[in-house]
Amino acid sequence: MFPSPDLPERDPLPTYLAPVPRVIEDLGLRFAWLIVAINLAGTAFGFWYYSSQLADTAVVMWPWVPDSPLATLFIALAIAAWKLGYEQPWLTSLAFFGNVILGLWTPFTLLAFYDAYGYLHPLMYQFLFWSHLAMVVQAYVLHRITDFPVWGVAVALVWYASNLIVDYFIPIVGEPHHTFIPVARDEPMFLGADALGVIAAGEVTFTLLALFLALATRVKKCELARGRTG
């Protein structure tokens, strides 16, 4: 397929950094405003989904509760900023981290506690599972609109590291946040871990994965740029 002059260039990145077929990337970028609208709708649904948890949480801790809705809000704002000609690397990095981390963490949690999530309607279970995986897919398109400068990645890492701290280690105010699971947090699981430890291990792993992917993309883009000018 020939490159389209109105779409950003697609660098020849390794498959593990750009696994989404070009035709899908192009469709996402061509219909960017539709993607923005879908993510804003997902954000609204997510805040509704977390409404009861927000009601039981101190207001000062609200930013650390609705992680998935914030991730979809980040990507909606990042794509909108790009479409308006003002791409913000820190915002795009936040969108990338959020959609990779939460896009993987939610399906991981749904599988880890599959039996205990029996209270969910099967359609809601499937919706949560596949819609979150779709977040990972759209995260993988963001390399087309940013080169992930180190300072932008640092902003995203600071935010999501703080999220890990208040979710699993130091709650700051009240109990750990965004750690609702359908079993007791100290429920024994496997390898000597309790339920909270299992989902904490998942989120730490996915945060490190997002960091690696963002910085690896940065390195590969710099190598390609050097090769073009060398």
Side-chain angles (χ1 to χ4, degrees), residues 95-130:
F96 181 81
F97 270 65
N99 281 262
V100 169
I101 295 168
L102 281 307
L104 293 173
W105 182 87
T106 299
F108 168 76
T109 304
L110 289 170
L111 291 174
F113 306 109
Y114 178 80
D115 292 338
Y117 275 112
Y119 68 90
L120 285 176
H121 189 284
L123 291 178
M124 177 60 78
Y125 184 95
Q126 293 296 324
F127 170 74
L128 292 174
F129 189 92
W130 295 107

PDB file of all heavy atoms in Angstrom, residues 95-130:
ATOM      1  N   ALA A  95      -1.031   8.311  27.461  1.00  0.00           N
ATOM      2  CA  ALA A  95      -2.022   7.481  26.772  1.00  0.00           C
ATOM      3  C   ALA A  95      -1.454   6.100  26.471  1.00  0.00           C
ATOM      4  O   ALA A  95      -2.133   5.083  26.645  1.00  0.00           O
ATOM      5  CB  ALA A  95      -2.463   8.170  25.486  1.00  0.00           C
ATOM      6  N   PHE A  96      -0.209   6.059  26.017  1.00  0.00           N
ATOM      7  CA  PHE A  96       0.417   4.776  25.690  1.00  0.00           C
ATOM      8  C   PHE A  96       0.538   3.908  26.936  1.00  0.00           C
ATOM      9  O   PHE A  96       0.112   2.746  26.949  1.00  0.00           O
ATOM     10  CB  PHE A  96       1.788   5.007  25.063  1.00  0.00           C
ATOM     11  CG  PHE A  96       2.493   3.732  24.681  1.00  0.00           C
ATOM     12  CD1 PHE A  96       2.165   3.084  23.497  1.00  0.00           C
ATOM     13  CD2 PHE A  96       3.464   3.180  25.498  1.00  0.00           C
ATOM     14  CE1 PHE A  96       2.806   1.894  23.144  1.00  0.00           C
ATOM     15  CE2 PHE A  96       4.107   1.998  25.156  1.00  0.00           C
ATOM     16  CZ  PHE A  96       3.770   1.355  23.972  1.00  0.00           C
ATOM     17  N   PHE A  97       1.126   4.458  27.978  1.00  0.00           N
ATOM     18  CA  PHE A  97       1.283   3.696  29.227  1.00  0.00           C
ATOM     19  C   PHE A  97      -0.073   3.211  29.733  1.00  0.00           C
ATOM     20  O   PHE A  97      -0.233   2.035  30.070  1.00  0.00           O
ATOM     21  CB  PHE A  97       1.944   4.574  30.294  1.00  0.00           C
ATOM     22  CG  PHE A  97       3.441   4.498  30.318  1.00  0.00           C
ATOM     23  CD1 PHE A  97       4.184   4.945  29.245  1.00  0.00           C
ATOM     24  CD2 PHE A  97       4.114   4.000  31.419  1.00  0.00           C
ATOM     25  CE1 PHE A  97       5.567   4.896  29.259  1.00  0.00           C
ATOM     26  CE2 PHE A  97       5.497   3.944  31.453  1.00  0.00           C
ATOM     27  CZ  PHE A  97       6.237   4.387  30.372  1.00  0.00           C
ATOM     28  N   GLY A  98      -1.034   4.130  29.824  1.00  0.00           N
ATOM     29  CA  GLY A  98      -2.332   3.769  30.390  1.00  0.00           C
ATOM     30  C   GLY A  98      -3.038   2.684  29.621  1.00  0.00           C
ATOM     31  O   GLY A  98      -3.615   1.759  30.204  1.00  0.00           O
ATOM     32  N   ASN A  99      -3.003   2.766  28.289  1.00  0.00           N
ATOM     33  CA  ASN A  99      -3.728   1.789  27.485  1.00  0.00           C
ATOM     34  C   ASN A  99      -3.032   0.442  27.437  1.00  0.00           C
ATOM     35  O   ASN A  99      -3.696  -0.590  27.340  1.00  0.00           O
ATOM     36  CB  ASN A  99      -3.978   2.346  26.084  1.00  0.00           C
ATOM     37  CG  ASN A  99      -5.137   3.308  26.052  1.00  0.00           C
ATOM     38  OD1 ASN A  99      -6.253   2.952  25.703  1.00  0.00           O
ATOM     39  ND2 ASN A  99      -4.891   4.556  26.439  1.00  0.00           N
ATOM     40  N   VAL A 100      -1.702   0.432  27.537  1.00  0.00           N
ATOM     41  CA  VAL A 100      -0.997  -0.854  27.642  1.00  0.00           C
ATOM     42  C   VAL A 100      -1.238  -1.478  29.013  1.00  0.00           C
ATOM     43  O   VAL A 100      -1.627  -2.648  29.130  1.00  0.00           O
ATOM     44  CB  VAL A 100       0.512  -0.674  27.389  1.00  0.00           C
ATOM     45  CG1 VAL A 100       1.278  -1.951  27.759  1.00  0.00           C
ATOM     46  CG2 VAL A 100       0.773  -0.314  25.933  1.00  0.00           C
ATOM     47  N   ILE A 101      -1.024  -0.691  30.077  1.00  0.00           N
ATOM     48  CA  ILE A 101      -1.123  -1.234  31.432  1.00  0.00           C
ATOM     49  C   ILE A 101      -2.536  -1.710  31.743  1.00  0.00           C
ATOM     50  O   ILE A 101      -2.758  -2.866  32.130  1.00  0.00           O
ATOM     51  CB  ILE A 101      -0.675  -0.178  32.459  1.00  0.00           C
ATOM     52  CG1 ILE A 101       0.808   0.149  32.278  1.00  0.00           C
ATOM     53  CG2 ILE A 101      -0.926  -0.684  33.885  1.00  0.00           C
ATOM     54  CD1 ILE A 101       1.263   1.372  33.052  1.00  0.00           C
ATOM     55  N   LEU A 102      -3.521  -0.822  31.578  1.00  0.00           N
ATOM     56  CA  LEU A 102      -4.885  -1.190  31.937  1.00  0.00           C
ATOM     57  C   LEU A 102      -5.515  -2.111  30.912  1.00  0.00           C
ATOM     58  O   LEU A 102      -6.383  -2.933  31.241  1.00  0.00           O
ATOM     59  CB  LEU A 102      -5.740   0.059  32.124  1.00  0.00           C
ATOM     60  CG  LEU A 102      -5.575   0.788  33.465  1.00  0.00           C
ATOM     61  CD1 LEU A 102      -5.764  -0.172  34.648  1.00  0.00           C
ATOM     62  CD2 LEU A 102      -4.252   1.505  33.592  1.00  0.00           C
ATOM     63  N   GLY A 103      -5.074  -1.986  29.652  1.00  0.00           N
ATOM     64  CA  GLY A 103      -5.591  -2.877  28.627  1.00  0.00           C
ATOM     65  C   GLY A 103      -5.199  -4.320  28.861  1.00  0.00           C
ATOM     66  O   GLY A 103      -5.902  -5.240  28.437  1.00  0.00           O
ATOM     67  N   LEU A 104      -4.072  -4.546  29.549  1.00  0.00           N
ATOM     68  CA  LEU A 104      -3.644  -5.901  29.884  1.00  0.00           C
ATOM     69  C   LEU A 104      -4.051  -6.306  31.294  1.00  0.00           C
ATOM     70  O   LEU A 104      -4.408  -7.456  31.540  1.00  0.00           O
ATOM     71  CB  LEU A 104      -2.116  -6.008  29.749  1.00  0.00           C
ATOM     72  CG  LEU A 104      -1.559  -5.885  28.336  1.00  0.00           C
ATOM     73  CD1 LEU A 104      -0.035  -5.843  28.360  1.00  0.00           C
ATOM     74  CD2 LEU A 104      -2.039  -7.045  27.456  1.00  0.00           C
ATOM     75  N   TRP A 105      -4.019  -5.343  32.226  1.00  0.00           N
ATOM     76  CA  TRP A 105      -4.297  -5.672  33.626  1.00  0.00           C
ATOM     77  C   TRP A 105      -5.724  -6.151  33.837  1.00  0.00           C
ATOM     78  O   TRP A 105      -5.963  -7.114  34.572  1.00  0.00           O
ATOM     79  CB  TRP A 105      -4.041  -4.446  34.504  1.00  0.00           C
ATOM     80  CG  TRP A 105      -4.242  -4.684  35.967  1.00  0.00           C
ATOM     81  CD1 TRP A 105      -3.327  -5.161  36.865  1.00  0.00           C
ATOM     82  CD2 TRP A 105      -5.454  -4.456  36.719  1.00  0.00           C
ATOM     83  NE1 TRP A 105      -3.886  -5.250  38.118  1.00  0.00           N
ATOM     84  CE2 TRP A 105      -5.181  -4.825  38.056  1.00  0.00           C
ATOM     85  CE3 TRP A 105      -6.722  -3.988  36.383  1.00  0.00           C
ATOM     86  CZ2 TRP A 105      -6.145  -4.729  39.061  1.00  0.00           C
ATOM     87  CZ3 TRP A 105      -7.690  -3.899  37.386  1.00  0.00           C
ATOM     88  CH2 TRP A 105      -7.388  -4.254  38.707  1.00  0.00           C
ATOM     89  N   THR A 106      -6.692  -5.519  33.186  1.00  0.00           N
ATOM     90  CA  THR A 106      -8.085  -5.905  33.398  1.00  0.00           C
ATOM     91  C   THR A 106      -8.375  -7.322  32.895  1.00  0.00           C
ATOM     92  O   THR A 106      -8.946  -8.132  33.636  1.00  0.00           O
ATOM     93  CB  THR A 106      -9.031  -4.878  32.758  1.00  0.00           C
ATOM     94  OG1 THR A 106      -8.816  -3.605  33.375  1.00  0.00           O
ATOM     95  CG2 THR A 106     -10.484  -5.282  32.945  1.00  0.00           C
ATOM     96  N   PRO A 107      -7.985  -7.693  31.665  1.00  0.00           N
ATOM     97  CA  PRO A 107      -8.186  -9.092  31.251  1.00  0.00           C
ATOM     98  C   PRO A 107      -7.433 -10.073  32.145  1.00  0.00           C
ATOM     99  O   PRO A 107      -7.939 -11.155  32.456  1.00  0.00           O
ATOM    100  CB  PRO A 107      -7.646  -9.112  29.814  1.00  0.00           C
ATOM    101  CG  PRO A 107      -7.818  -7.710  29.337  1.00  0.00           C
ATOM    102  CD  PRO A 107      -7.526  -6.862  30.540  1.00  0.00           C
ATOM    103  N   PHE A 108      -6.222  -9.693  32.570  1.00  0.00           N
ATOM    104  CA  PHE A 108      -5.447 -10.537  33.473  1.00  0.00           C
ATOM    105  C   PHE A 108      -6.221 -10.794  34.765  1.00  0.00           C
ATOM    106  O   PHE A 108      -6.319 -11.928  35.254  1.00  0.00           O
ATOM    107  CB  PHE A 108      -4.104  -9.862  33.776  1.00  0.00           C
ATOM    108  CG  PHE A 108      -3.331 -10.470  34.907  1.00  0.00           C
ATOM    109  CD1 PHE A 108      -2.651 -11.665  34.743  1.00  0.00           C
ATOM    110  CD2 PHE A 108      -3.269  -9.842  36.145  1.00  0.00           C
ATOM    111  CE1 PHE A 108      -1.935 -12.235  35.800  1.00  0.00           C
ATOM    112  CE2 PHE A 108      -2.558 -10.380  37.195  1.00  0.00           C
ATOM    113  CZ  PHE A 108      -1.887 -11.589  37.026  1.00  0.00           C
ATOM    114  N   THR A 109      -6.804  -9.733  35.323  1.00  0.00           N
ATOM    115  CA  THR A 109      -7.559  -9.860  36.566  1.00  0.00           C
ATOM    116  C   THR A 109      -8.839 -10.666  36.359  1.00  0.00           C
ATOM    117  O   THR A 109      -9.207 -11.500  37.195  1.00  0.00           O
ATOM    118  CB  THR A 109      -7.902  -8.460  37.116  1.00  0.00           C
ATOM    119  OG1 THR A 109      -6.697  -7.719  37.287  1.00  0.00           O
ATOM    120  CG2 THR A 109      -8.624  -8.554  38.452  1.00  0.00           C
ATOM    121  N   LEU A 110      -9.517 -10.435  35.238  1.00  0.00           N
ATOM    122  CA  LEU A 110     -10.730 -11.188  34.944  1.00  0.00           C
ATOM    123  C   LEU A 110     -10.446 -12.682  34.820  1.00  0.00           C
ATOM    124  O   LEU A 110     -11.266 -13.523  35.234  1.00  0.00           O
ATOM    125  CB  LEU A 110     -11.372 -10.671  33.655  1.00  0.00           C
ATOM    126  CG  LEU A 110     -12.034  -9.291  33.731  1.00  0.00           C
ATOM    127  CD1 LEU A 110     -12.404  -8.803  32.332  1.00  0.00           C
ATOM    128  CD2 LEU A 110     -13.270  -9.319  34.631  1.00  0.00           C
ATOM    129  N   LEU A 111      -9.288 -13.030  34.273  1.00  0.00           N
ATOM    130  CA  LEU A 111      -8.915 -14.441  34.156  1.00  0.00           C
ATOM    131  C   LEU A 111      -8.446 -15.012  35.483  1.00  0.00           C
ATOM    132  O   LEU A 111      -8.772 -16.154  35.836  1.00  0.00           O
ATOM    133  CB  LEU A 111      -7.824 -14.602  33.091  1.00  0.00           C
ATOM    134  CG  LEU A 111      -8.249 -14.353  31.645  1.00  0.00           C
ATOM    135  CD1 LEU A 111      -7.039 -14.411  30.723  1.00  0.00           C
ATOM    136  CD2 LEU A 111      -9.308 -15.355  31.199  1.00  0.00           C
ATOM    137  N   ALA A 112      -7.669 -14.222  36.230  1.00  0.00           N
ATOM    138  CA  ALA A 112      -7.134 -14.704  37.504  1.00  0.00           C
ATOM    139  C   ALA A 112      -8.238 -15.046  38.490  1.00  0.00           C
ATOM    140  O   ALA A 112      -8.109 -15.981  39.293  1.00  0.00           O
ATOM    141  CB  ALA A 112      -6.188 -13.661  38.105  1.00  0.00           C
ATOM    142  N   PHE A 113      -9.344 -14.282  38.437  1.00  0.00           N
ATOM    143  CA  PHE A 113     -10.455 -14.501  39.359  1.00  0.00           C
ATOM    144  C   PHE A 113     -11.730 -14.864  38.590  1.00  0.00           C
ATOM    145  O   PHE A 113     -12.828 -14.428  38.941  1.00  0.00           O
ATOM    146  CB  PHE A 113     -10.687 -13.239  40.204  1.00  0.00           C
ATOM    147  CG  PHE A 113      -9.453 -12.767  40.919  1.00  0.00           C
ATOM    148  CD1 PHE A 113      -8.812 -11.600  40.522  1.00  0.00           C
ATOM    149  CD2 PHE A 113      -8.915 -13.495  41.960  1.00  0.00           C
ATOM    150  CE1 PHE A 113      -7.667 -11.167  41.172  1.00  0.00           C
ATOM    151  CE2 PHE A 113      -7.775 -13.072  42.622  1.00  0.00           C
ATOM    152  CZ  PHE A 113      -7.136 -11.903  42.232  1.00  0.00           C
ATOM    153  N   TYR A 114     -11.544 -15.677  37.580  1.00  0.00           N
ATOM    154  CA  TYR A 114     -12.648 -15.998  36.672  1.00  0.00           C
ATOM    155  C   TYR A 114     -13.883 -16.501  37.419  1.00  0.00           C
ATOM    156  O   TYR A 114     -15.003 -16.022  37.195  1.00  0.00           O
ATOM    157  CB  TYR A 114     -12.194 -17.047  35.652  1.00  0.00           C
ATOM    158  CG  TYR A 114     -13.279 -17.486  34.704  1.00  0.00           C
ATOM    159  CD1 TYR A 114     -13.631 -16.708  33.605  1.00  0.00           C
ATOM    160  CD2 TYR A 114     -13.971 -18.682  34.923  1.00  0.00           C
ATOM    161  CE1 TYR A 114     -14.635 -17.104  32.735  1.00  0.00           C
ATOM    162  CE2 TYR A 114     -14.982 -19.086  34.059  1.00  0.00           C
ATOM    163  CZ  TYR A 114     -15.302 -18.294  32.972  1.00  0.00           C
ATOM    164  OH  TYR A 114     -16.307 -18.680  32.119  1.00  0.00           O
ATOM    165  N   ASP A 115     -13.694 -17.465  38.320  1.00  0.00           N
ATOM    166  CA  ASP A 115     -14.844 -18.045  39.026  1.00  0.00           C
ATOM    167  C   ASP A 115     -15.549 -17.013  39.897  1.00  0.00           C
ATOM    168  O   ASP A 115     -16.781 -17.004  40.001  1.00  0.00           O
ATOM    169  CB  ASP A 115     -14.391 -19.222  39.885  1.00  0.00           C
ATOM    170  CG  ASP A 115     -13.928 -20.415  39.055  1.00  0.00           C
ATOM    171  OD1 ASP A 115     -14.344 -20.496  37.883  1.00  0.00           O
ATOM    172  OD2 ASP A 115     -13.161 -21.235  39.574  1.00  0.00           O
ATOM    173  N   ALA A 116     -14.774 -16.141  40.523  1.00  0.00           N
ATOM    174  CA  ALA A 116     -15.362 -15.165  41.442  1.00  0.00           C
ATOM    175  C   ALA A 116     -16.110 -14.055  40.704  1.00  0.00           C
ATOM    176  O   ALA A 116     -16.898 -13.334  41.323  1.00  0.00           O
ATOM    177  CB  ALA A 116     -14.268 -14.562  42.321  1.00  0.00           C
ATOM    178  N   TYR A 117     -15.835 -13.884  39.411  1.00  0.00           N
ATOM    179  CA  TYR A 117     -16.548 -12.866  38.636  1.00  0.00           C
ATOM    180  C   TYR A 117     -17.855 -13.390  38.063  1.00  0.00           C
ATOM    181  O   TYR A 117     -18.423 -12.795  37.152  1.00  0.00           O
ATOM    182  CB  TYR A 117     -15.663 -12.344  37.507  1.00  0.00           C
ATOM    183  CG  TYR A 117     -14.731 -11.235  37.931  1.00  0.00           C
ATOM    184  CD1 TYR A 117     -13.347 -11.442  37.969  1.00  0.00           C
ATOM    185  CD2 TYR A 117     -15.213  -9.984  38.306  1.00  0.00           C
ATOM    186  CE1 TYR A 117     -12.484 -10.425  38.365  1.00  0.00           C
ATOM    187  CE2 TYR A 117     -14.362  -8.970  38.708  1.00  0.00           C
ATOM    188  CZ  TYR A 117     -13.002  -9.201  38.732  1.00  0.00           C
ATOM    189  OH  TYR A 117     -12.159  -8.194  39.134  1.00  0.00           O
ATOM    190  N   GLY A 118     -18.365 -14.479  38.624  1.00  0.00           N
ATOM    191  CA  GLY A 118     -19.613 -15.050  38.147  1.00  0.00           C
ATOM    192  C   GLY A 118     -20.798 -14.123  38.310  1.00  0.00           C
ATOM    193  O   GLY A 118     -21.821 -14.298  37.640  1.00  0.00           O
ATOM    194  N   TYR A 119     -20.661 -13.112  39.187  1.00  0.00           N
ATOM    195  CA  TYR A 119     -21.772 -12.172  39.379  1.00  0.00           C
ATOM    196  C   TYR A 119     -21.957 -11.249  38.180  1.00  0.00           C
ATOM    197  O   TYR A 119     -23.005 -10.616  38.024  1.00  0.00           O
ATOM    198  CB  TYR A 119     -21.550 -11.339  40.647  1.00  0.00           C
ATOM    199  CG  TYR A 119     -20.402 -10.363  40.570  1.00  0.00           C
ATOM    200  CD1 TYR A 119     -20.613  -9.067  40.106  1.00  0.00           C
ATOM    201  CD2 TYR A 119     -19.119 -10.732  40.942  1.00  0.00           C
ATOM    202  CE1 TYR A 119     -19.575  -8.160  40.010  1.00  0.00           C
ATOM    203  CE2 TYR A 119     -18.067  -9.838  40.857  1.00  0.00           C
ATOM    204  CZ  TYR A 119     -18.289  -8.561  40.405  1.00  0.00           C
ATOM    205  OH  TYR A 119     -17.252  -7.663  40.310  1.00  0.00           O
ATOM    206  N   LEU A 120     -20.936 -11.137  37.328  1.00  0.00           N
ATOM    207  CA  LEU A 120     -21.058 -10.302  36.138  1.00  0.00           C
ATOM    208  C   LEU A 120     -21.896 -11.022  35.082  1.00  0.00           C
ATOM    209  O   LEU A 120     -21.748 -12.230  34.881  1.00  0.00           O
ATOM    210  CB  LEU A 120     -19.679  -9.985  35.553  1.00  0.00           C
ATOM    211  CG  LEU A 120     -18.806  -8.966  36.264  1.00  0.00           C
ATOM    212  CD1 LEU A 120     -17.447  -8.886  35.578  1.00  0.00           C
ATOM    213  CD2 LEU A 120     -19.462  -7.590  36.279  1.00  0.00           C
ATOM    214  N   HIS A 121     -22.755 -10.276  34.406  1.00  0.00           N
ATOM    215  CA  HIS A 121     -23.463 -10.849  33.268  1.00  0.00           C
ATOM    216  C   HIS A 121     -22.428 -11.274  32.226  1.00  0.00           C
ATOM    217  O   HIS A 121     -21.431 -10.566  32.011  1.00  0.00           O
ATOM    218  CB  HIS A 121     -24.419  -9.815  32.669  1.00  0.00           C
ATOM    219  CG  HIS A 121     -25.346 -10.372  31.645  1.00  0.00           C
ATOM    220  ND1 HIS A 121     -24.945 -10.668  30.355  1.00  0.00           N
ATOM    221  CD2 HIS A 121     -26.672 -10.708  31.723  1.00  0.00           C
ATOM    222  CE1 HIS A 121     -25.971 -11.139  29.675  1.00  0.00           C
ATOM    223  NE2 HIS A 121     -27.037 -11.174  30.488  1.00  0.00           N
ATOM    224  N   PRO A 122     -22.609 -12.424  31.589  1.00  0.00           N
ATOM    225  CA  PRO A 122     -21.622 -12.884  30.595  1.00  0.00           C
ATOM    226  C   PRO A 122     -21.295 -11.838  29.534  1.00  0.00           C
ATOM    227  O   PRO A 122     -20.141 -11.730  29.102  1.00  0.00           O
ATOM    228  CB  PRO A 122     -22.295 -14.120  29.986  1.00  0.00           C
ATOM    229  CG  PRO A 122     -23.179 -14.627  31.068  1.00  0.00           C
ATOM    230  CD  PRO A 122     -23.683 -13.411  31.789  1.00  0.00           C
ATOM    231  N   LEU A 123     -22.295 -11.065  29.105  1.00  0.00           N
ATOM    232  CA  LEU A 123     -22.029 -10.039  28.100  1.00  0.00           C
ATOM    233  C   LEU A 123     -21.152  -8.927  28.670  1.00  0.00           C
ATOM    234  O   LEU A 123     -20.273  -8.406  27.967  1.00  0.00           O
ATOM    235  CB  LEU A 123     -23.342  -9.467  27.563  1.00  0.00           C
ATOM    236  CG  LEU A 123     -24.183 -10.405  26.698  1.00  0.00           C
ATOM    237  CD1 LEU A 123     -25.475  -9.723  26.266  1.00  0.00           C
ATOM    238  CD2 LEU A 123     -23.385 -10.865  25.482  1.00  0.00           C
ATOM    239  N   MET A 124     -21.383  -8.556  29.933  1.00  0.00           N
ATOM    240  CA  MET A 124     -20.544  -7.539  30.562  1.00  0.00           C
ATOM    241  C   MET A 124     -19.121  -8.053  30.727  1.00  0.00           C
ATOM    242  O   MET A 124     -18.153  -7.323  30.482  1.00  0.00           O
ATOM    243  CB  MET A 124     -21.117  -7.140  31.918  1.00  0.00           C
ATOM    244  CG  MET A 124     -20.252  -6.134  32.691  1.00  0.00           C
ATOM    245  SD  MET A 124     -20.015  -4.553  31.810  1.00  0.00           S
ATOM    246  CE  MET A 124     -21.604  -3.779  32.138  1.00  0.00           C
ATOM    247  N   TYR A 125     -18.975  -9.305  31.108  1.00  0.00           N
ATOM    248  CA  TYR A 125     -17.643  -9.909  31.249  1.00  0.00           C
ATOM    249  C   TYR A 125     -16.898  -9.851  29.913  1.00  0.00           C
ATOM    250  O   TYR A 125     -15.742  -9.421  29.852  1.00  0.00           O
ATOM    251  CB  TYR A 125     -17.765 -11.351  31.726  1.00  0.00           C
ATOM    252  CG  TYR A 125     -16.444 -12.036  31.986  1.00  0.00           C
ATOM    253  CD1 TYR A 125     -15.898 -12.082  33.266  1.00  0.00           C
ATOM    254  CD2 TYR A 125     -15.728 -12.631  30.943  1.00  0.00           C
ATOM    255  CE1 TYR A 125     -14.682 -12.704  33.503  1.00  0.00           C
ATOM    256  CE2 TYR A 125     -14.510 -13.257  31.166  1.00  0.00           C
ATOM    257  CZ  TYR A 125     -13.992 -13.294  32.451  1.00  0.00           C
ATOM    258  OH  TYR A 125     -12.775 -13.891  32.679  1.00  0.00           O
ATOM    259  N   GLN A 126     -17.572 -10.273  28.849  1.00  0.00           N
ATOM    260  CA  GLN A 126     -16.938 -10.261  27.527  1.00  0.00           C
ATOM    261  C   GLN A 126     -16.621  -8.835  27.074  1.00  0.00           C
ATOM    262  O   GLN A 126     -15.571  -8.575  26.481  1.00  0.00           O
ATOM    263  CB  GLN A 126     -17.839 -10.955  26.506  1.00  0.00           C
ATOM    264  CG  GLN A 126     -18.010 -12.440  26.742  1.00  0.00           C
ATOM    265  CD  GLN A 126     -16.707 -13.212  26.596  1.00  0.00           C
ATOM    266  OE1 GLN A 126     -15.858 -12.892  25.756  1.00  0.00           O
ATOM    267  NE2 GLN A 126     -16.537 -14.239  27.408  1.00  0.00           N
ATOM    268  N   PHE A 127     -17.545  -7.910  27.356  1.00  0.00           N
ATOM    269  CA  PHE A 127     -17.313  -6.519  26.977  1.00  0.00           C
ATOM    270  C   PHE A 127     -16.076  -5.972  27.676  1.00  0.00           C
ATOM    271  O   PHE A 127     -15.216  -5.349  27.040  1.00  0.00           O
ATOM    272  CB  PHE A 127     -18.528  -5.670  27.327  1.00  0.00           C
ATOM    273  CG  PHE A 127     -18.282  -4.178  27.183  1.00  0.00           C
ATOM    274  CD1 PHE A 127     -18.206  -3.590  25.937  1.00  0.00           C
ATOM    275  CD2 PHE A 127     -18.097  -3.383  28.318  1.00  0.00           C
ATOM    276  CE1 PHE A 127     -17.949  -2.230  25.802  1.00  0.00           C
ATOM    277  CE2 PHE A 127     -17.848  -2.028  28.195  1.00  0.00           C
ATOM    278  CZ  PHE A 127     -17.772  -1.443  26.936  1.00  0.00           C
ATOM    279  N   LEU A 128     -15.971  -6.189  28.982  1.00  0.00           N
ATOM    280  CA  LEU A 128     -14.821  -5.688  29.732  1.00  0.00           C
ATOM    281  C   LEU A 128     -13.531  -6.330  29.221  1.00  0.00           C
ATOM    282  O   LEU A 128     -12.506  -5.649  29.066  1.00  0.00           O
ATOM    283  CB  LEU A 128     -14.998  -5.971  31.224  1.00  0.00           C
ATOM    284  CG  LEU A 128     -16.118  -5.195  31.931  1.00  0.00           C
ATOM    285  CD1 LEU A 128     -16.285  -5.690  33.365  1.00  0.00           C
ATOM    286  CD2 LEU A 128     -15.825  -3.697  31.914  1.00  0.00           C
ATOM    287  N   PHE A 129     -13.581  -7.615  28.955  1.00  0.00           N
ATOM    288  CA  PHE A 129     -12.381  -8.331  28.511  1.00  0.00           C
ATOM    289  C   PHE A 129     -11.880  -7.802  27.167  1.00  0.00           C
ATOM    290  O   PHE A 129     -10.721  -7.387  27.031  1.00  0.00           O
ATOM    291  CB  PHE A 129     -12.686  -9.827  28.417  1.00  0.00           C
ATOM    292  CG  PHE A 129     -11.473 -10.684  28.182  1.00  0.00           C
ATOM    293  CD1 PHE A 129     -10.780 -11.221  29.249  1.00  0.00           C
ATOM    294  CD2 PHE A 129     -11.031 -10.957  26.892  1.00  0.00           C
ATOM    295  CE1 PHE A 129      -9.655 -12.009  29.034  1.00  0.00           C
ATOM    296  CE2 PHE A 129      -9.912 -11.739  26.666  1.00  0.00           C
ATOM    297  CZ  PHE A 129      -9.219 -12.271  27.747  1.00  0.00           C
ATOM    298  N   TRP A 130     -12.756  -7.791  26.171  1.00  0.00           N
ATOM    299  CA  TRP A 130     -12.316  -7.450  24.816  1.00  0.00           C
ATOM    300  C   TRP A 130     -12.132  -5.953  24.607  1.00  0.00           C
ATOM    301  O   TRP A 130     -11.255  -5.535  23.845  1.00  0.00           O
ATOM    302  CB  TRP A 130     -13.283  -8.034  23.790  1.00  0.00           C
ATOM    303  CG  TRP A 130     -13.282  -9.524  23.816  1.00  0.00           C
ATOM    304  CD1 TRP A 130     -14.260 -10.345  24.309  1.00  0.00           C
ATOM    305  CD2 TRP A 130     -12.224 -10.387  23.366  1.00  0.00           C
ATOM    306  NE1 TRP A 130     -13.889 -11.658  24.191  1.00  0.00           N
ATOM    307  CE2 TRP A 130     -12.639 -11.721  23.614  1.00  0.00           C
ATOM    308  CE3 TRP A 130     -10.976 -10.170  22.791  1.00  0.00           C
ATOM    309  CZ2 TRP A 130     -11.852 -12.829  23.300  1.00  0.00           C
ATOM    310  CZ3 TRP A 130     -10.181 -11.261  22.468  1.00  0.00           C
ATOM    311  CH2 TRP A 130     -10.625 -12.562  22.717  1.00  0.00           C
TER     312      TRP A 130
END
